[in-house]
Amino acid sequence: MKRKVAIVGASGYTGRELARLLARHPAFDPPLLMSSRPGVEPDAPETSFEPRLEKLDLERFRDVDGVFLCTPHGAAAPYAREAMRSGKVVVDLSADFRLKDGALHGSVYGEDHGPDLRAAAVYGLCEHARAAIARARLVANPGCYPTAVTLPLLPVLAAGLVDLAADVIADCKSGTSGAGKDPKKRTVFGAVHDNFLAYGVGDHRHAPEIAQTLRTDRVLFVPHLLPVFRGILATLWLRPSPGVRAADVRACLRAAYADEPFVRVYDKGLPELQFVQHTNFCDVGVADVPAAAPSGARIVVISAIDNLVKGASGQALQNMNLLLGLPETAGLLP
Amino acid sequence: MKRKVAIVGASGYTGRELARLLARHPAFDPPLLMSSRPGVEPDAPETSFEPRLEKLDLERFRDVDGVFLCTPHGAAAPYAREAMRSGKVVVDLSADFRLKDGALHGSVYGEDHGPDLRAAAVYGLCEHARAAIARARLVANPGCYPTAVTLPLLPVLAAGLVDLAADVIADCKSGTSGAGKDPKKRTVFGAVHDNFLAYGVGDHRHAPEIAQTLRTDRVLFVPHLLPVFRGILATLWLRPSPGVRAADVRACLRAAYADEPFVRVYDKGLPELQFVQHTNFCDVGVADVPAAAPSGARIVVISAIDNLVKGASGQALQNMNLLLGLPETAGLLP
Amino acid sequence: MKRKVAIVGASGYTGRELARLLARHPAFDPPLLMSSRPGVEPDAPETSFEPRLEKLDLERFRDVDGVFLCTPHGAAAPYAREAMRSGKVVVDLSADFRLKDGALHGSVYGEDHGPDLRAAAVYGLCEHARAAIARARLVANPGCYPTAVTLPLLPVLAAGLVDLAADVIADCKSGTSGAGKDPKKRTVFGAVHDNFLAYGVGDHRHAPEIAQTLRTDRVLFVPHLLPVFRGILATLWLRPSPGVRAADVRACLRAAYADEPFVRVYDKGLPELQFVQHTNFCDVGVADVPAAAPSGARIVVISAIDNLVKGASGQALQNMNLLLGLPETAGLLP
Amino acid sequence: MKRKVAIVGASGYTGRELARLLARHPAFDPPLLMSSRPGVEPDAPETSFEPRLEKLDLERFRDVDGVFLCTPHGAAAPYAREAMRSGKVVVDLSADFRLKDGALHGSVYGEDHGPDLRAAAVYGLCEHARAAIARARLVANPGCYPTAVTLPLLPVLAAGLVDLAADVIADCKSGTSGAGKDPKKRTVFGAVHDNFLAYGVGDHRHAPEIAQTLRTDRVLFVPHLLPVFRGILATLWLRPSPGVRAADVRACLRAAYADEPFVRVYDKGLPELQFVQHTNFCDVGVADVPAAAPSGARIVVISAIDNLVKGASGQALQNMNLLLGLPETAGLLP
């Protein structure tokens, strides 16, 4: 028998991406799409073939097996609570339940609508929390930049290949879909096309999330806005521990992710956005950046994801698969 | 009386950009455009209004006051020699005369066609070599990435604001025009559009040029390819000397460039490609990237140039103005 | 002595483009920039080098020689009235004074704020109304699509080269800057990038303006939205009069525009957006589209303009030059 | 038991797109990928996860059930012959077997390498030749523009809704992938990005293919190049028969394609490239373009396809499904 999920906030980019992924998932019926903007927008040349969005109705959680929350930051708590009260598992794609430290959550996101939910939520970086996710009721889906930054760094830091006396520079670049569908001065075509810029320098909300996952504050993070729609490429500059070369970092990553269906570590070459767009892959490549004095050299690790898939809706579906006891890759392989 | 210049290699992007800049220069007659691909390409829907390219003829150097060389790397020496023999000043936009160290030049660019010319050439970073350029006969026009990286770093390093016990990370991003006009697998639309990637990691020819200008090898450089046509944005990660903040770096840069017509240091905000495209400006902004331990913080300096203007043809014209005793800004302000 | 102009509505794309053009105009002092959004927007990483916008103050019209109105449609009348009362000449870039027929104006644009002004205004298609513009006090600057469509058609229709028993199809394509700077659902990056679409089919406001200028309603017009920022390319499908070939249409256009500085008719090849972006040129090319039965053939005329320059601010400056007795090309040639 | 196919010419865009589609097809084993450029290109940062291309070996046709030919125009005949000799069904994506008239084929494509094959081939516009395709051994896969133009026109012409005393204007726009993967002066990023242009005016190879399918030469066709990678949007201007309105054309198309899985006729609104990219759909919308005299009005039919899917590899797979007795939609629905 097929499962069924509800998507709350289905009109945005992540909601629609989830609907698209679910449409080819073998184990799910068509999802219940709910939105505060139900129907088809009257002024839009929407096709008659788009699925209809229904209005928000928490009663209907009873009819589903799981709930995806694609609501804006700060809005997830009442939906999560109601869904869990109905005995349903929940994957929240907002940032509301990601940070464990309450004071930190408050300083980054303001009012805290669900300290209990934050405490209960499992941070859903599947490759590193699979067992906990399978037992969870509520999953906090990781942010897009944190996914791109932490997947390649976790095994390398754990193996001691990085000299943390130096910092790790995470110079990251993202397409505009990360900023959401609502028109903003920042995301209008004339402000993005043929342009490139840094934003949120020294002040981006994903920095503490990265620190929490990596258990270090040695990673310094700056995001940039690319004139593309989907994709994040992270350029990670590591100071290697003495004697460590790119080949060692590569070998470590290949070993760590050898059995992972969604992390591809390159033998040679480096990832490009094109290699991961419209997929749930996180691609990783490694290269040396030599210096006159070998002790001054860095290793550059490049990772690439589709921010709407592995950085949001794909990873969310990976989590839901785990929560519902389905094969983790169902509906997510090309 | 107006001056006249020849452009050798006028069919490429930098040659055409020079022709465009000269067209609005008050002190120059229309340039002599020479190319190994003279005429108008037969299969191209070129407009009848494009200037005609003439075939290469070194005799014609006699009729001009100065010569721009827009030839491929390795080809400039015979043209430079002949122009100088005719008593003309030369600005070379290739890399042939930039590196002073012969062994280094050889290892980076292969055969050395003009050790004497390399020795005689003045490196044309105008803001830092104005007097020497004015006395020169041959100017090696700086590379595009080196211009974007060294202009902001020179004053800051000179003022001791950077802790060189740490490295300086130069994470740079460029549009495709830097790769030239000839179709390549790398620059075909389908390989660039909606894509983003790092290239030349640990192995880019501009790294030694940056080191030579900054007199340090602590700067580590990685370039990336943006899906835009023109523009370079450099994200420079500095470890500040103890007690130094972004405001200090900004003040240093504002003081250093207060009287410079082509370097704009921002009071607030950060440069974007849009702010400099089609101009000869190098825009610079500064921001703090704090860390839990203040000693782990970085300062990010962002610089932006149009690689075809300040990174090539505009800077070349600025050099030619100096060589011919014209006002340095002639033809270059908006 | 230099002239001075005011720009009302200086924060939008056309206002900014005018400011840029005026900055390199030899006969004007820096313009007075006025906006209902004065200052520098607090949340924007604007550069400290952008000109400051002042608040709207009609008193200040006294200090200038001419006024550009870059206000939204429907808002121009009071500014125009006040400027003319102060004895200043006015170029209005909105559509408020373009249509002569009052009923038509009402049906297309709603309330009519200035029937007297519409009556007094000269339609500023410079190449075809030069003398009248020079004597005018108020110029209605032509719309972007009408400029691209009517410049190539006027001489060809006048010469009787078109069989108006058939229709003229104007299949037009524009960049997004025509839709203005304010973020809209239609112009957000994710809705434009990598996309293409028709809009306003059978219902675009520029259709009656085209009919008025060409004095025929045989031209059928559909606009499309291109994923570029600036530029309009119009594909005009004409049924030629018996015996007329592309060469005849080309010869007619070359003769008509032989002395025009801003209309370039191609000998061979066809215009592309790249050939006109950032210029005040209207480029025109002509080609045969043969049919099995020669009587079924069409001739295609392709015209291209930069909608922000020849289609708006450049043409407005061309008009202001005429109004103030300056050389028509001043500040507008490359 | 699963089927297996070979792809000859697997290195190009259509070959790769086929491989991607087959990867999610439930009834096929991984395909045999053959190319004159086997292996992984040595200088390319290809991922180690790309499928390996093998060298061309006609012997290996024995091991497969069907063969896709993605070879350049003029090269298909020997492969088709050999595959058919081995008893395999063939879908040719080139233009080699599309035109039935030998003289016409010669004048358009030059030397005729397979008159017998052209005679035997079924033109694979599935929605209109399903039964013939199912019985065929060799299918000539339709061109991209002809697919976008003929699918919406066939039912409307058959129903007599179009006044063919007037012409039908097919003003078409395509992304660059139609021009193939090899770098060309025309398709380098700097020539496409932020640009738009008409090409092949009066002389495009797809015009006779359109005429053959529609059995009329009243359709006039001009293609344009969009700065997008995938997608064709066709703007079709019809003169309706007396009394016919857009609603009638829409009703005709909705009836004709009511049971077709891959043609979606809109109730309201018009197609955009975004609605069909990465799908095998042909989307169709209809709108009135009124005129002062009703007899001068046109109806505009807009169709949109992904040129690499419905315009090439998707339609080819639809044909192969029919040839092999599989469900026509297998592997092709979202």
Side-chain angles (χ1 to χ4, degrees):
Chain A
M1 215 197 66
K2 289 207 171 184
R3 316 295 179 92
K4 190 178 175 76
V5 290
I7 302 176
V8 179
S11 73
Y13 287 143
T14 56
R16 292 166 73 100
E17 189 75 14
L18 260 175
R20 237 169 277 152
L21 291 168
L22 288 165
R24 65 167 70 144
H25 195 297
F28 284 105
D29 278 325
L32 170 60
L33 305 176
M34 295 196 290
S35 171
S36 56
R37 306 170 185 174
V40 169
E41 303 177 57
D43 62 330
E46 297 282 351
T47 98
S48 14
F49 302 93
E50 286 290 316
R52 233 193 133 65
L53 306 187
E54 313 202 19
K55 61 171 189 270
L56 290 169
D57 176 1
L58 306 198
E59 299 285 309
R60 305 195 57 188
F61 286 168
R62 281 184 237 151
D63 310 331
V64 301
D65 301 289
V67 174
F68 289 104
L69 299 180
C70 300
T71 45
H73 296 315
Y79 302 105
R81 240 182 267 288
E82 183 59 30
M84 292 167 78
R85 191 173 301 145
S86 309
K88 313 306 180 186
V89 291
V90 176
V91 178
D92 175 40
L93 285 84
S94 82
D96 289 3
F97 312 128
R98 290 182 195 150
L99 296 183
K100 288 300 176 194
D101 183 293
L104 187 60
H105 180 89
S107 76
V108 175
Y109 292 103
E111 203 183 341
D112 187 353
H113 300 277
D116 53 325
L117 295 168
R118 283 195 299 96
V122 171
Y123 186 77
L125 193 68
C126 305
E127 287 75 9
H128 295 273
R130 192 163 279 132
I133 294 164
R135 290 187 306 264
R137 308 286 313 288
L138 171 61
V139 166
N141 206 52
C144 51
Y145 285 118
T147 299
V149 169
T150 63
L151 278 178
L153 287 183
L154 275 167
V156 179
L157 291 173
L161 302 183
V162 180
D163 174 7
L164 283 182
D167 44 18
V168 176
I169 303 293
D171 194 290
C172 297
K173 300 90 179 175
S174 174
T176 66
S177 52
K181 197 181 171 186
D182 282 329
K184 297 177 190 72
K185 196 180 152 188
R186 262 265 143 277
T187 57
V188 74
F189 185 78
V192 176
H193 172 69
D194 222 24
N195 199 12
F196 182 69
L197 56 111
Y199 67 100
V201 178
D203 190 34
H204 196 281
R205 293 171 164 195
H206 283 171
E209 186 179 336
I210 292 168
Q212 171 181 285
T213 302
L214 297 178
R215 293 166 202 225
T216 174
D217 51 17
R218 298 297 286 152
V219 179
L220 299 177
F221 163 65
V222 164
H224 300 74
L225 187 65
L226 284 168
V228 309
F229 184 65
R230 40 170 90 217
I232 285 178
L233 191 134
T235 307
L236 307 167
W237 297 77
L238 324 175
R239 168 72 45 83
S241 299
V244 170
R245 298 296 308 266
D248 306 306
V249 171
R250 193 180 299 118
C252 164
L253 285 162
R254 287 182 74 87
Y257 291 121
D259 298 325
E260 287 297 339
F262 297 123
V263 182
R264 306 189 296 190
V265 182
Y266 290 13
D267 252 341
K268 69 187 242 348
L270 295 169
E272 308 183 9
L273 288 192
Q274 283 194 343
F275 300 162
V276 298
Q277 282 161 335
H278 297 281
T279 79
N280 197 48
F281 293 121
C282 176
D283 279 14
V284 184
V286 188
D288 280 305
V289 180
S295 68
R298 291 255 178 180
I299 288 172
V300 162
V301 177
I302 308 262
S303 67
I305 62 169
D306 184 322
N307 58 304
L308 289 180
V309 188
K310 186 60 173 170
S313 304
Q315 185 158 237
L317 181 51
Q318 199 180 344
N319 274 303
M320 186 61 84
N321 283 340
L322 287 170
L323 288 169
L324 295 177
L326 297 166
E328 184 175 339
T329 60
L332 287 168
L333 284 173
Chain B
M1 216 198 66
K2 291 208 171 183
R3 317 296 179 91
K4 191 178 174 75
V5 291
I7 301 176
V8 179
S11 74
Y13 288 143
T14 56
R16 292 168 73 101
E17 189 75 13
L18 259 175
R20 238 169 276 152
L21 291 168
L22 287 165
R24 65 167 70 143
H25 195 296
F28 283 106
D29 278 325
L32 170 60
L33 305 176
M34 295 197 289
S35 171
S36 56
R37 306 169 187 174
V40 171
E41 301 176 60
D43 62 331
E46 297 283 350
T47 97
S48 13
F49 302 92
E50 286 290 316
R52 234 193 133 63
L53 306 186
E54 312 201 20
K55 62 171 188 270
L56 290 169
D57 177 0
L58 305 198
E59 298 286 310
R60 304 196 57 188
F61 286 166
R62 282 184 236 151
D63 310 331
V64 300
D65 301 289
V67 174
F68 290 104
L69 300 179
C70 299
T71 45
H73 296 316
Y79 301 106
R81 240 183 267 288
E82 184 58 30
M84 292 167 77
R85 191 174 302 145
S86 308
K88 313 304 179 186
V89 291
V90 176
V91 178
D92 176 41
L93 284 84
S94 83
D96 289 3
F97 312 128
R98 290 182 195 151
L99 296 183
K100 289 299 177 194
D101 183 293
L104 188 60
H105 179 90
S107 76
V108 175
Y109 292 103
E111 203 183 341
D112 187 353
H113 300 277
D116 53 326
L117 294 168
R118 282 195 300 95
V122 171
Y123 186 78
L125 193 68
C126 306
E127 286 75 9
H128 295 274
R130 193 163 278 133
I133 294 164
R135 289 188 307 265
R137 306 286 313 289
L138 171 62
V139 166
N141 206 53
C144 51
Y145 285 118
T147 299
V149 170
T150 62
L151 278 177
L153 286 183
L154 275 168
V156 179
L157 291 174
L161 302 182
V162 180
D163 173 8
L164 284 182
D167 43 18
V168 176
I169 303 294
D171 194 289
C172 297
K173 302 89 178 175
S174 174
T176 65
S177 53
K181 195 178 171 188
D182 283 330
K184 296 178 189 70
K185 195 180 153 191
R186 263 263 142 277
T187 57
V188 75
F189 185 79
V192 176
H193 172 69
D194 222 25
N195 199 11
F196 182 69
L197 57 112
Y199 68 99
V201 179
D203 189 33
H204 196 281
R205 294 171 164 196
H206 283 170
E209 187 180 334
I210 291 168
Q212 170 181 285
T213 301
L214 297 178
R215 294 166 201 225
T216 174
D217 51 16
R218 298 296 286 153
V219 179
L220 299 178
F221 163 66
V222 164
H224 301 73
L225 187 65
L226 286 168
V228 308
F229 184 65
R230 40 170 90 215
I232 285 177
L233 192 134
T235 307
L236 306 167
W237 297 76
L238 323 175
R239 168 72 45 83
S241 298
V244 170
R245 298 296 308 267
D248 306 308
V249 171
R250 193 180 299 117
C252 164
L253 284 162
R254 286 181 75 88
Y257 290 121
D259 299 324
E260 287 296 339
F262 296 122
V263 182
R264 304 189 299 189
V265 182
Y266 290 13
D267 252 342
K268 67 189 247 333
L270 294 169
E272 307 183 8
L273 287 192
Q274 284 193 343
F275 300 163
V276 298
Q277 282 161 335
H278 298 282
T279 79
N280 197 49
F281 293 121
C282 176
D283 279 13
V284 183
V286 188
D288 280 304
V289 180
S295 67
R298 290 254 179 181
I299 289 171
V300 162
V301 177
I302 307 262
S303 66
I305 61 170
D306 185 320
N307 59 303
L308 289 181
V309 189
K310 186 60 174 171
S313 304
Q315 186 158 237
L317 181 50
Q318 199 180 343
N319 275 304
M320 187 61 83
N321 282 341
L322 287 170
L323 288 170
L324 294 178
L326 297 166
E328 185 173 339
T329 60
L332 288 168
L333 285 173
Chain C
M1 213 196 69
K2 290 209 171 183
R3 315 299 178 89
K4 190 177 176 78
V5 290
I7 302 176
V8 179
S11 73
Y13 288 143
T14 56
R16 293 166 73 100
E17 189 75 13
L18 259 176
R20 236 169 277 151
L21 290 168
L22 287 165
R24 65 166 72 144
H25 196 296
F28 282 106
D29 278 324
L32 170 61
L33 305 176
M34 295 196 290
S35 170
S36 56
R37 306 172 186 172
V40 169
E41 302 176 57
D43 61 332
E46 297 282 350
T47 95
S48 14
F49 301 94
E50 285 290 316
R52 231 190 136 65
L53 306 187
E54 313 202 18
K55 63 168 184 271
L56 290 169
D57 177 1
L58 305 197
E59 299 286 311
R60 304 196 57 188
F61 285 167
R62 282 184 237 150
D63 311 331
V64 301
D65 300 289
V67 174
F68 290 105
L69 300 179
C70 299
T71 45
H73 296 315
Y79 301 106
R81 241 183 267 287
E82 182 59 29
M84 292 167 77
R85 190 174 300 144
S86 310
K88 313 306 182 188
V89 292
V90 176
V91 179
D92 175 41
L93 286 83
S94 83
D96 288 4
F97 312 127
R98 290 182 196 151
L99 296 183
K100 289 301 175 191
D101 184 293
L104 188 60
H105 180 89
S107 77
V108 176
Y109 292 104
E111 204 184 342
D112 187 353
H113 301 277
D116 54 324
L117 295 168
R118 282 195 299 94
V122 171
Y123 186 77
L125 194 67
C126 304
E127 287 75 10
H128 295 275
R130 192 163 281 133
I133 295 164
R135 289 188 306 266
R137 307 287 311 288
L138 171 61
V139 167
N141 206 53
C144 52
Y145 285 118
T147 299
V149 170
T150 63
L151 278 178
L153 287 184
L154 275 168
V156 178
L157 291 174
L161 302 182
V162 180
D163 174 8
L164 284 182
D167 45 17
V168 176
I169 303 294
D171 195 289
C172 297
K173 301 89 179 174
S174 175
T176 66
S177 52
K181 196 180 171 186
D182 282 329
K184 298 179 189 70
K185 196 181 152 186
R186 260 267 142 276
T187 57
V188 76
F189 185 78
V192 176
H193 172 70
D194 221 26
N195 199 11
F196 183 69
L197 56 112
Y199 68 99
V201 178
D203 190 34
H204 196 280
R205 294 171 164 196
H206 282 172
E209 187 179 335
I210 292 169
Q212 170 180 285
T213 301
L214 297 177
R215 295 169 200 220
T216 175
D217 50 17
R218 298 298 285 153
V219 179
L220 300 177
F221 163 66
V222 164
H224 300 74
L225 188 66
L226 285 168
V228 309
F229 184 65
R230 41 171 88 217
I232 285 177
L233 192 134
T235 307
L236 307 167
W237 297 76
L238 324 174
R239 169 70 46 81
S241 298
V244 170
R245 298 295 309 268
D248 306 306
V249 171
R250 192 180 298 117
C252 165
L253 285 162
R254 287 183 74 88
Y257 291 120
D259 298 325
E260 287 296 339
F262 297 123
V263 183
R264 305 189 296 189
V265 182
Y266 291 12
D267 253 342
K268 67 187 248 333
L270 294 169
E272 308 183 7
L273 287 192
Q274 283 193 343
F275 299 162
V276 298
Q277 281 160 336
H278 297 281
T279 80
N280 197 48
F281 292 121
C282 175
D283 280 13
V284 183
V286 188
D288 280 306
V289 180
S295 67
R298 291 253 179 181
I299 288 172
V300 162
V301 177
I302 307 261
S303 67
I305 61 170
D306 184 321
N307 59 303
L308 288 181
V309 189
K310 185 62 174 170
S313 304
Q315 185 159 237
L317 182 51
Q318 199 180 343
N319 274 305
M320 186 61 84
N321 283 340
L322 288 169
L323 288 171
L324 295 178
L326 298 166
E328 186 174 338
T329 59
L332 288 167
L333 285 174
Chain D
M1 212 197 71
K2 291 210 172 183
R3 316 299 178 88
K4 189 177 175 77
V5 291
I7 301 175
V8 180
S11 73
Y13 288 143
T14 56
R16 293 166 73 100
E17 188 75 14
L18 260 175
R20 239 170 274 153
L21 291 167
L22 288 164
R24 64 167 72 144
H25 195 296
F28 283 106
D29 278 325
L32 170 61
L33 305 175
M34 295 197 289
S35 171
S36 56
R37 306 170 187 174
V40 170
E41 302 176 59
D43 61 332
E46 298 281 353
T47 95
S48 15
F49 301 93
E50 285 290 317
R52 230 191 136 65
L53 306 186
E54 312 202 18
K55 63 170 186 271
L56 290 168
D57 176 1
L58 306 197
E59 300 286 310
R60 305 195 57 189
F61 286 166
R62 281 184 238 151
D63 312 331
V64 300
D65 301 289
V67 174
F68 290 104
L69 300 179
C70 300
T71 45
H73 296 315
Y79 302 105
R81 242 183 267 286
E82 183 59 31
M84 292 167 77
R85 192 174 299 144
S86 310
K88 313 305 181 187
V89 293
V90 175
V91 178
D92 175 40
L93 286 83
S94 83
D96 288 4
F97 312 128
R98 290 182 195 152
L99 296 182
K100 289 300 175 193
D101 184 292
L104 188 61
H105 179 89
S107 77
V108 175
Y109 293 104
E111 204 181 343
D112 187 353
H113 300 277
D116 53 324
L117 295 168
R118 282 195 300 96
V122 171
Y123 185 77
L125 193 67
C126 305
E127 286 75 9
H128 295 274
R130 191 163 280 131
I133 294 164
R135 290 188 306 264
R137 307 286 313 290
L138 170 62
V139 166
N141 206 53
C144 51
Y145 286 118
T147 299
V149 169
T150 63
L151 278 177
L153 286 184
L154 276 168
V156 178
L157 291 174
L161 302 183
V162 180
D163 174 8
L164 283 182
D167 44 19
V168 176
I169 303 294
D171 194 290
C172 298
K173 301 87 179 175
S174 174
T176 65
S177 52
K181 195 180 171 186
D182 282 329
K184 297 177 189 71
K185 195 181 152 188
R186 261 265 143 279
T187 57
V188 75
F189 185 78
V192 176
H193 171 70
D194 222 26
N195 199 11
F196 182 69
L197 57 113
Y199 68 98
V201 178
D203 190 36
H204 195 280
R205 293 171 164 194
H206 283 170
E209 187 179 336
I210 292 168
Q212 170 181 284
T213 301
L214 297 177
R215 295 169 200 221
T216 175
D217 50 18
R218 297 298 285 153
V219 179
L220 300 178
F221 163 65
V222 164
H224 301 74
L225 187 65
L226 286 168
V228 310
F229 184 65
R230 41 171 89 217
I232 285 178
L233 191 135
T235 307
L236 307 167
W237 297 76
L238 323 174
R239 167 72 46 81
S241 299
V244 169
R245 297 296 308 267
D248 305 307
V249 171
R250 193 181 297 118
C252 164
L253 285 162
R254 286 182 74 88
Y257 291 121
D259 299 325
E260 286 297 339
F262 297 122
V263 183
R264 305 190 295 189
V265 182
Y266 291 12
D267 253 343
K268 67 188 241 355
L270 295 170
E272 307 183 9
L273 287 192
Q274 283 193 343
F275 299 163
V276 298
Q277 282 160 336
H278 297 282
T279 80
N280 197 48
F281 293 121
C282 175
D283 279 14
V284 184
V286 188
D288 279 305
V289 180
S295 67
R298 291 254 179 181
I299 289 171
V300 162
V301 177
I302 306 263
S303 67
I305 61 170
D306 184 320
N307 59 302
L308 289 180
V309 189
K310 185 61 174 169
S313 305
Q315 186 158 237
L317 181 51
Q318 199 180 344
N319 274 304
M320 187 61 84
N321 283 339
L322 288 170
L323 288 170
L324 295 178
L326 298 166
E328 186 175 336
T329 59
L332 287 168
L333 285 174

